[in-house]
Amino acid sequence: MTDADFLTGGGDMAAMIRTHDWSRSPLGPPARWPQSLRSIVSLMLASEFAMCVAWGPELGFLYNDHYARILHDKHPAALGEPLPEVWAELWSDIGPLVDRALTGKASYFENLPLVTNRKGYDEQTWFTFSYSPVRDESGAAAGLFCTTYESTESVVAERALRDERERMGQMFAQAPTFMAMLRGPEHRFELTNPGYDKLIGHRPVLGRTVAEALPDAVEQGFLDLLDSVFSTGAPFTATGMLYAVQAEPGGAVDNRYVDFVYQPIRDASGAVVGIFVEGADVTDRKRLERDLQALNADLEQRVRDRTQELIEAQEALRQAQKMEAVGQLTGGIAHDFNNLLQGITGSLEIVQRRVAQGRITELDRFIQGATTAANRAASLTHRLLAFSRRQPLDPRPVQVNALVASLEDLLRRTTGEQIDFEMVLAPGLWTTLCDPHQLENSLLNLVINARDAMPDGGKLTIETCNAHLDDHFAASGRDVRPGHYVCICVSDTGTGMSADTIAKAFEPFFTTKPIGQGTGLGLSMIYGFARQSEGYAKIYSELDHGTTIKVYLPRHHGVAEQGEALPSLTQDQGTNAGEIVLVVEDDGVVRSLIVDVLAELGYQAVEAHDGPAGLERLRTMERVDLLVTDIGLPGLNGRQVADAGRVLRPGLRVLFMTGYAENAALASGFLEPGMSMITKPFSMEALAMQIRTITEG
């Protein structure tokens, strides 16, 4: 082997040995190394294990790449240095092994504990060393060859396993349940815990079979269960099983109830080699259950009696609340309706008298008065429907800032000159999805309430903003969902509310105003509108410190609709095609109005006064282009008429009329293609537009 051949390959350490400054090393340059040293160095550099060589009287130190990792920060300074200096801190441990190898005898030390500082701090490690002598050409031991590997991981694992076994043993002994381990098909006791010893009366069982140690258990069939588990490998579980413990033959019997499981123990091949027994003595629980059963027989009857008393008391309370609500309703709403009816009937009487007198030039004022009163009555009906939370809404994408701004003049006139009115509309406000007319009505109600709370004047502020209700806020209120909302806030500096008043403010018919000045439906209507719109309403108030009411409406990602002008009844809404419309309505006045309007617009109107009459018309008429029917008809209701008509005339177009909120609220699921719905009271203009839309379909 030439000077360089034994250093070819060998990774980084081979290159380092070739370039190292050997002038101060006791080994001298590699070119002068004896052949025996060269051979062992070549073997060391090619090895996959951590190896080192110490050579000569001063034990000059050589090592490979794998051993360099063990040296950590001692590398590369350790190359060529005397071994005792390299491992000075460990020499008291490894020195005797080195001396033994130098006498020609191999030495081996497994899991030698060493405190090393390879990473800048002391750590406990374990290494396994194998030292062998290296002989020169004369056969004398000139150095040593060491193979080593770190066994820290295996030592730590073994200690952890030992600690775990000790811990499990302690748990086994201290477990509140009873436990036992049985080995072999004869079920020989290998281990029991104190709980098991107590259960069997502290009989000596270790090393004995179940048949030998527990004859009472054998007689009661427990041995047969053990045999079955051992032979099939299927666990067995029992609940509340009776075990008559007889610690001594002929002795007293102690009846115990036990819950237990027999779990097979398997070896590495999966074969059953034993059974683990675990369970609990539930005798005390069983006795308590028996006592409770006797007690329950009496308690159940007492509970039934008490429940019946509560039901009767709750019914009486509901009746009292109902009567109170009726009283408030008659005191507020009836007063409003009487005023509205007076305006309608009085105006019509004057119109009738003026027509009889031939004075028709001044009729517009009285007709307008009757129309205004009727519209106010319709508005009050909408407030009632919103309170019941079954009001038919017409949700549309709405830009709240534009809607609020359009009401500014009306709101300012409503508040009067004594109140400082201010609007703060946030830029970049999100779009929401709601019924714009109900939002206008809600806002007007809030402003009126705020005005009434400031009889001596004050400041009223309307604000809008984008709001994010998080999970924490949602959890603080009932029926509040987290998410993005548009917030409309109405604040005043008025009398404020007490906590009790706030708690009742959204209840229907609740009002603090005198009878005749309020129906108690304003705030409840606002709350019902917000809930129907999947939103939320909240009151913040203190006595003498004003009130703030916030209405949260969910954000909508669509585009707000542009406002449209109110329709008027014109010939443009009529027809030249002479379509035939069947009108089914049990109220003669309403039926007559609809027929007259249809005739004025060019339609051929045929009328029927109830459901059966309408169905007969559908059977006998040659042509029907549209069926206009009330839903609440005597005999057959409107939907039944429409369904029967579609059997006779497939594709028949239908317009339903209804004055019932629940019908309209269900319109989305009630209507089929080719059907539409209009809610009473409606204007003739709205009816004409609906009919025109359907017939042009």
Side-chain angles (χ1 to χ4, degrees):
M1 183 179 294
T2 66
D3 291 349
D5 286 344
F6 78 100
L7 293 177
T8 58
D12 295 338
M13 286 309 302
M16 190 170 293
I17 291 173
R18 285 196 300 269
T19 59
H20 186 67
D21 181 8
W22 295 97
S23 60
R24 296 169 55 185
S25 171
L27 292 174
R32 290 166 41 193
W33 292 354
Q35 186 60 42
S36 54
L37 177 58
R38 293 184 180 190
S39 298
I40 198 67
V41 169
S42 178
L43 175 65
M44 173 190 73
L45 293 174
S47 176
E48 294 296 322
F49 299 97
M51 293 184 177
C52 66
V53 174
W55 185 266
E58 297 184 29
L59 298 176
F61 190 47
L62 300 169
Y63 50 91
N64 64 3
D65 289 330
H66 302 292
Y67 199 95
R69 299 188 186 98
I70 298 176
L71 290 170
H72 195 53
D73 56 1
K74 293 179 183 293
H75 171 73
L79 184 62
E81 298 301 312
L83 180 61
E85 295 180 11
V86 174
W87 290 115
E89 73 276 17
L90 305 179
W91 195 249
S92 60
D93 294 310
I94 65 176
L97 302 178
V98 172
D99 293 340
R100 178 178 173 83
L102 292 176
T103 62
K105 299 177 182 179
S107 58
Y108 178 82
F109 196 99
E110 184 178 13
N111 297 332
L112 176 67
L114 301 175
V115 176
T116 60
N117 194 311
R118 298 171 297 174
K119 303 174 184 177
Y121 56 87
D122 290 345
E123 60 177 333
Q124 180 64 56
T125 57
W126 286 264
F127 288 86
T128 296
F129 295 90
S130 175
Y131 289 101
S132 302
V134 179
R135 303 181 185 277
D136 59 15
E137 286 74 1
S138 66
L144 60 90
F145 180 72
C146 174
T147 301
T148 184
Y149 66 88
E150 185 174 357
S151 53
T152 302
E153 185 175 344
S154 63
V155 171
V156 171
E158 289 175 3
R159 290 191 172 188
L161 179 60
R162 184 179 68 246
D163 293 343
E164 181 65 17
R165 286 174 177 170
E166 292 178 356
R167 188 178 67 84
M168 291 300 294
Q170 293 175 355
M171 290 177 59
F172 190 85
Q174 298 171 4
T177 57
F178 61 77
M179 298 180 181
M181 291 182 64
L182 309 175
R183 286 289 179 180
E186 69 281 7
H187 316 304
R188 191 174 301 278
F189 282 98
E190 185 176 271
L191 188 64
T192 62
N193 75 339
Y196 193 87
D197 294 338
K198 179 181 178 182
L199 175 68
I200 63 174
H202 298 282
R203 284 175 278 182
V205 296
L206 293 181
R208 305 173 69 189
T209 66
V210 170
E212 295 168 346
L214 303 177
D216 52 351
V218 175
E219 293 175 0
Q220 297 174 56
F222 288 92
L223 183 58
D224 295 336
L225 296 175
L226 291 170
D227 289 339
S228 175
V229 172
F230 194 90
S231 61
T232 64
F236 175 81
T237 302
T239 302
M241 194 166 185
L242 177 63
Y243 175 29
V245 182
Q246 190 174 29
E248 298 179 1
V253 175
D254 183 12
N255 291 324
R256 313 299 298 178
Y257 291 93
V258 290
D259 296 345
F260 66 91
V261 59
Y262 290 160
Q263 186 72 36
I265 301 173
R266 302 179 184 273
D267 61 14
S269 67
V272 178
V273 295
I275 295 176
F276 177 68
V277 181
E278 182 182 16
D281 187 339
V282 295
T283 304
D284 292 341
R285 188 189 72 194
K286 281 288 185 180
R287 291 171 178 168
L288 179 60
E289 289 175 355
R290 186 171 60 246
D291 294 340
L292 287 175
Q293 287 174 356
L295 180 61
N296 281 344
D298 177 59
L299 287 178
E300 287 177 359
Q301 183 59 45
R302 293 169 62 185
V303 169
R304 283 194 293 268
D305 295 343
R306 180 57 177 162
T307 300
Q308 183 60 35
E309 293 175 3
L310 290 175
I311 291 174
E312 294 173 358
Q314 289 170 352
E315 183 60 32
L317 176 60
R318 280 194 294 269
Q319 184 64 24
Q321 291 173 333
K322 190 182 301 182
M323 295 305 296
E324 180 183 0
V326 169
Q328 293 174 339
L329 178 64
T330 56
I333 296 178
H335 175 273
D336 287 354
F337 262 112
N338 285 334
N339 287 339
L340 296 172
L341 291 174
Q342 181 64 53
I344 296 171
T345 58
S347 297
L348 293 178
E349 287 178 6
I350 294 175
V351 169
Q352 188 177 24
R353 188 179 303 114
R354 293 291 176 90
V355 169
Q357 296 171 352
R359 299 167 57 190
I360 61 175
T361 57
E362 300 178 359
L363 297 183
D364 286 347
R365 178 162 60 93
F366 301 107
I367 294 174
Q368 183 63 37
T371 302
T372 300
N375 288 336
R376 289 175 60 197
S379 176
L380 187 57
T381 302
H382 282 296
R383 292 169 68 188
L384 283 168
L385 296 178
F387 147 63
S388 68
R389 298 186 63 193
R390 292 186 179 181
Q391 180 186 12
L393 296 183
D394 183 17
R396 303 176 186 177
V398 174
Q399 178 49 255
V400 173
N401 276 353
L403 184 145
V404 175
S406 69
L407 296 175
E408 182 174 3
D409 290 341
L410 172 63
L411 298 178
R412 287 188 183 277
R413 288 197 300 270
T414 300
T415 56
E417 297 181 355
Q418 283 186 306
I419 294 176
D420 181 12
F421 182 86
E422 182 181 8
M423 294 191 352
V424 182
L425 307 182
L429 194 69
W430 295 326
T431 300
T432 187
L433 186 68
C434 69
D435 186 323
H437 301 299
Q438 291 303 316
L439 178 56
E440 292 174 353
N441 197 15
S442 298
L443 189 59
L444 182 59
N445 269 282
L446 290 175
V447 169
I448 290 173
N449 284 348
R451 178 202 66 190
D452 293 346
M454 297 182 289
D456 299 324
K459 183 173 183 179
L460 191 155
T461 305
I462 299 177
E463 299 175 82
T464 62
C465 66
N466 296 326
H468 174 69
L469 304 186
D470 57 19
D471 293 334
H472 178 73
F473 183 91
S476 66
R478 194 179 74 177
D479 298 332
V480 184
R481 292 189 295 184
H484 291 146
Y485 290 83
V486 174
C487 178
I488 304 101
C489 175
V490 178
S491 303
D492 65 66
T493 59
T495 55
M497 306 183 198
S498 67
D500 290 340
T501 301
I502 293 174
K504 297 179 181 179
F506 286 138
E507 293 180 3
F509 310 126
F510 177 79
T511 180
T512 57
K513 299 177 183 179
I515 292 178
Q517 295 186 21
T519 61
L521 290 176
L523 288 179
S524 63
M525 181 275 292
I526 294 168
Y527 183 78
F529 160 67
R531 295 296 301 130
Q532 279 185 288
S533 304
E534 299 184 357
Y536 174 65
K538 178 73 173 178
I539 300 175
Y540 303 89
S541 183
E542 292 184 25
L543 282 175
D544 302 323
H545 288 82
T547 299
T548 296
I549 298 181
K550 294 184 178 182
V551 177
Y552 295 91
L553 299 175
R555 179 184 183 182
H556 178 66
H557 293 280
V559 179
E561 296 179 352
Q562 299 296 321
E564 298 180 358
L566 292 175
S568 58
L569 189 62
T570 66
Q571 289 300 321
D572 293 338
Q573 296 164 340
T575 179
N576 295 320
E579 290 96 334
I580 299 175
V581 180
L582 174 60
V583 179
V584 186
E585 168 62 64
D586 59 320
D587 187 294
V589 174
V590 175
R591 187 173 68 247
S592 176
L593 284 172
I594 295 173
V595 169
D596 288 347
V597 168
L598 290 174
E600 182 179 340
L601 294 175
Y603 294 96
Q604 298 182 47
V606 179
E607 55 185 296
H609 65 280
D610 60 15
L615 184 57
E616 183 62 25
R617 296 282 193 279
L618 289 171
R619 287 196 184 101
T620 58
M621 290 174 60
E622 180 178 349
R623 172 185 170 190
V624 176
D625 297 299
L626 173 65
L627 170 64
V628 178
T629 177
D630 189 25
I631 291 181
L633 293 173
L636 296 173
N637 65 42
R639 181 56 192 256
Q640 291 171 325
V641 174
D643 289 342
R646 283 197 161 190
V647 173
L648 298 170
R649 303 170 183 270
L652 176 66
R653 296 171 182 174
V654 182
L655 174 60
F656 291 109
M657 302 178 293
T658 180
Y660 293 97
E662 57 267 25
N663 294 130
L666 296 173
S668 60
F670 181 83
L671 300 179
E672 297 176 359
M675 293 181 175
S676 187
M677 181 178 289
I678 188 168
T679 305
K680 299 176 183 177
F682 51 77
S683 66
M684 294 299 105
E685 294 86 350
L687 176 65
M689 290 184 65
Q690 281 271 35
I691 292 176
R692 180 69 179 271
T693 300
I694 296 173
T695 55
E696 292 183 351

